[in-house]
Every structure is written in C-alpha cells, then in structure tokens.
C-alpha cells in the first residue's frame, strides 16, 4: 500500500527565524569541474512560506518537479517521493539553486517510462564552495515521456561537494521504517473538517490527486493530531515550532472522483522523549475505503534557530 510517513521537529525560534534572508547566488559549486547536471534557480517568496517564514514543505516537491522538467527539456510528472531530507529550512527571501542529477543505476530498479532523479537545494554563501549550504536533498521518480532528453545528466561522483548529502539521502531511502499500528481515522471530536469533498482543484495532471492538495490534507491531519491550531499557537508563543524533517514513500495512486468524499487516516509513533514524531498517513475514500494516496515518511530534530548550521540540528535517524 502507499504510505505517508511524517516526522516533526520541535525547534526553538529566535528573531532570525522570521527575518528574510539576503539573496544568495550560485558560486563555485557550479563553477567547478563536475558531472553533467541541471541547475534551477528560485527565490522563496511570500506565497511559498508558512507562518514561521520557512518554505512550506509541499513547495519542495513543486519546485523539484519544475527542475526535473527543465533538466529533461519536456514536462516530467512526479510519480513518487522516495526519500526527502530537510537539512534546514529554506527561508523567505532566500535564493536557492536546485541541482539535479541522475540516480545511480545501482541504487534503483530499472522501470520502463520512469526516471529517478536526485535533487539538492543549495544556498551558496560564496565563502566555502567545498562545503555547500544544503537545505534539502531528495530521491524522486517521474514519468518519462518519449521525447525527454536526459542524456545531458550524469550521476554525482565521489569528490563532488554534493556527493555525500545525496548519498546520505539514498541510504535513508533503504533504512527500515518505524513500526506502526493500523491506520485509523481520528476520533470524531478531532476529525472535524478532515473528511472533505473532492473539488476540481483537487485533481491534477492525468486525473491524479493534486500533490499540493494532498499535502494540505496531510498537514491538517497532523495539526489535528497535535491538538489543532490553538495548540500550535500556544507552542509558538513558547518559542517552539513543529516542522517536517523527513519524507518517505509518498505515492499518488488511484484517480479521485469529483464530488466523492475522502478522508485522511493515520498512525503515529514517537521517540526521543517526544521530540520526534513519525506519522503514517493515507488518503482514502470516506465511503469505500479505496486508497487514493499513500504518503511519506518524515523525521525531525531539535534545532536552535539562532545557529542552523550547528551539527546538533542535523536530522536524527530512527
């Protein structure tokens, strides 16, 4: 079955966490002699960020899909997010370079009409190109149209500044996932508006569930698990943010039907004295239980916002 897994991190917020970052530019990470890859440039705008001025996690998938399409020279449609690691939040006003490579053949199974790509989000400070500031790494699969020109891409090579973070993401994709109980709906008192009607904006390319719509429903489900918006507001007043830090196994399955009712079901487990939460989520039809979407695994960590490069903030592994 398709599975959604999510982990959250409690982070102490400081003044820097909500201030726009100065624009940055791609430095020697691209200038060096490196394997063939594609670079997609973006700046995080107001429409991309959440209440903490961090890039909303669904936007990483959207921009990765755009980066993959530019690399291929034709539109590529996301099939799954196999693994995604959030090294640190990309922030409002920050300039990012999404660098795309082919996934090494030894790390993935050959599948007709499907291409697997590695993405690394780099905020280059121009200070030390040998240690790029990597916000996010991911392994994603896409439907490959016949005209897609991917011959210009190569796999990352040892010695490249992005080789180690990308290989760490590949390894994370092969680690065992936490053990969960059976996915169930939340109690009626907590479910509230989480049983929703499929409207036209919920249907995307090829009749599939729109990824951004699915992410929004997953997010609302996890907010309900925490205790709702009032609980999040209370945490924020205490200087604590709850953020996604890992995503694994997101897949878009059967096509939704306009007007049908769907709901999110979940199972949760926690570790590290409640700092890390793993959440397994699925979207199913409310009446028949037909599964529309299985989703990702996320994993968190504790981070002092005043020093986002402190090794103590590196994501914890289960």
């Amino acid at each position: 079955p398709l599975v959604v897994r999510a982990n959250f991190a409690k982070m102490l917020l400081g003044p820097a966490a909500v201030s726009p970052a100065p624009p940055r530019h791609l430095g020697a990470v691209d200038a060096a002699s490196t394997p063939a890859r594609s670079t997609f440039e973006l700046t995080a705008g107001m429409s991309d960020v959440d209440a903490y001025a961090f890039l909303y996690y669904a936007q990483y998938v959207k921009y990765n899909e755009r980066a993959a399409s530019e690399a291929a020279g034709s539109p590529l449609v996301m099939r799954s997010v196999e693994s995604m690691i959030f090294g640190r939040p990309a922030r409002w006003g920050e300039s990012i370079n999404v660098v795309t490579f082919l996934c090494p053949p030894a790390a993935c199974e050959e599948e007709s009409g499907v291409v697997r790509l590695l993405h690394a989000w780099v905020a280059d400070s121009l200070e030390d190109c040998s240690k790029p500031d990597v916000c996010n790494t991911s392994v994603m699969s896409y439907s490959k149209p016949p005209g897609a020109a991917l011959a210009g891409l190569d796999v990352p090579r040892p010695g490249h500044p992005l080789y180690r973070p990308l290989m760490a993401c590949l390894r994370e994709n092969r680690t065992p996932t936490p053990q969960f109980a059976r996915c169930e709906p939340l109690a009626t008192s907590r479910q509230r508006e989480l049983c929703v009607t499929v409207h036209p904006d919920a249907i995307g390319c090829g009749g599939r569930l729109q990824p951004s719509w699915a992410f929004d429903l997953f997010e609302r489900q996890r907010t309900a698990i925490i205790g709702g918006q009032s609980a999040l507001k209370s945490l924020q007043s205490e200087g604590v943010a709850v953020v996604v830090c890992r995503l694994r196994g997101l897949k878009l399955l059967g096509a939704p039907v306009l007007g049908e009712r769907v709901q999110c079901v979940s199972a949760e487990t926690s570790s590290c004295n409640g700092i890390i939460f793993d959440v397994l989520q699925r979207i199913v039809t409310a009446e028949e239980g037909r599964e529309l979407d299985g989703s990702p695994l996320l994993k968190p960590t504790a981070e002092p916002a005043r020093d986002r490069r402190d090794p103590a903030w590196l994501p914890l592994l289960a």
Side-chain angles (χ1 to χ4, degrees):
L2 299 181
V3 176
V4 176
R5 297 170 191 155
N7 298 24
F8 311 78
K10 293 180 180 177
M11 304 192 309
L12 299 177
L13 295 179
V18 293
S19 301
R24 294 175 176 179
H25 307 283
L26 186 64
V29 170
D30 266 0
S33 176
T34 61
R37 75 276 181 230
S38 172
T39 300
F40 176 83
E41 299 183 12
L42 66 98
T43 300
M46 287 296 294
S47 61
D48 294 320
V49 299
D50 59 19
Y52 306 120
F54 298 158
L55 193 75
Y56 181 56
Y57 79 113
Q59 300 298 83
Y60 291 89
V61 173
K62 179 181 80 173
Y63 286 119
N64 278 353
E65 196 170 44
R66 291 186 186 180
S69 296
E70 283 211 356
S74 60
L76 295 185
V77 178
M78 184 202 78
R79 288 171 54 95
S80 68
V81 180
E82 298 181 12
S83 178
M84 182 175 285
I85 296 177
F86 298 79
R88 70 159 178 85
R91 299 186 296 275
W92 168 48
E94 193 166 21
S95 294
I96 300 292
N97 299 275
V98 184
V99 186
T100 301
F101 295 89
L102 284 177
C103 186
C108 60
E109 296 180 4
E110 183 112 12
E111 191 175 348
S112 177
V114 176
V115 59
R116 286 176 173 81
L117 299 178
L118 305 178
H119 301 286
W121 286 50
V122 181
D124 196 350
S125 65
L126 299 178
E127 295 173 358
D128 187 356
C129 63
S130 65
K131 296 180 180 179
D133 184 3
V134 180
C135 305
N136 181 283
T137 54
S138 60
V139 184
M140 295 179 57
S141 67
Y142 300 89
S143 297
K144 179 184 175 184
L150 292 167
L153 291 182
D154 201 353
V155 301
R157 300 171 187 163
H160 187 275
L162 297 175
Y163 179 80
R164 294 184 65 183
L166 287 172
M167 293 304 105
C169 190
L170 276 172
R171 287 194 299 272
E172 173 74 9
N173 192 33
R174 294 172 177 266
T175 58
T177 58
Q179 296 299 310
F180 294 93
R182 174 177 173 156
C183 281
E184 299 287 353
L186 292 177
T188 304
S189 60
R190 300 170 68 195
Q191 187 79 357
R192 296 199 179 109
E193 299 177 0
L194 293 177
C195 186
V196 298
T197 300
V198 175
H199 294 295
D201 64 296
I203 300 178
C205 181
R208 69 176 186 173
L209 196 64
Q210 184 70 265
S212 59
W213 191 89
F215 277 120
D216 180 64
L217 187 55
F218 288 144
E219 182 79 8
R220 283 191 280 158
Q221 171 88 357
R222 295 195 300 270
T223 299
I225 291 170
I226 293 169
Q229 292 294 336
S230 59
L232 284 179
K233 187 175 181 179
S234 176
L235 287 171
Q236 188 174 10
S237 68
E238 297 174 8
V240 177
V242 182
V243 298
V244 169
C245 282
R246 289 287 190 281
L247 182 66
R248 282 183 59 185
L250 171 65
K251 297 180 182 178
L252 298 171
L253 300 179
V257 178
L258 276 176
E260 74 176 339
R261 299 281 288 173
V262 300
Q263 64 179 329
C264 189
V265 295
S266 64
E268 308 90 41
T269 183
S270 65
S271 58
C272 296
N273 294 321
I275 292 179
I276 297 179
F277 296 86
D278 290 289
V279 183
L280 179 69
Q281 294 175 282
R282 293 187 176 97
I283 295 176
V284 300
T285 58
E287 291 80 14
E288 303 173 5
R290 176 171 62 90
E291 190 173 84
L292 293 180
D293 189 299
S295 131
L297 175 67
L298 296 153
K299 214 171 247 186
T301 191
E303 171 221 28
R306 51 187 172 273
D307 187 3
R308 300 191 181 283
R309 292 191 180 125
D310 189 315
W313 188 76
L314 294 178
L316 304 177
L317 300 180

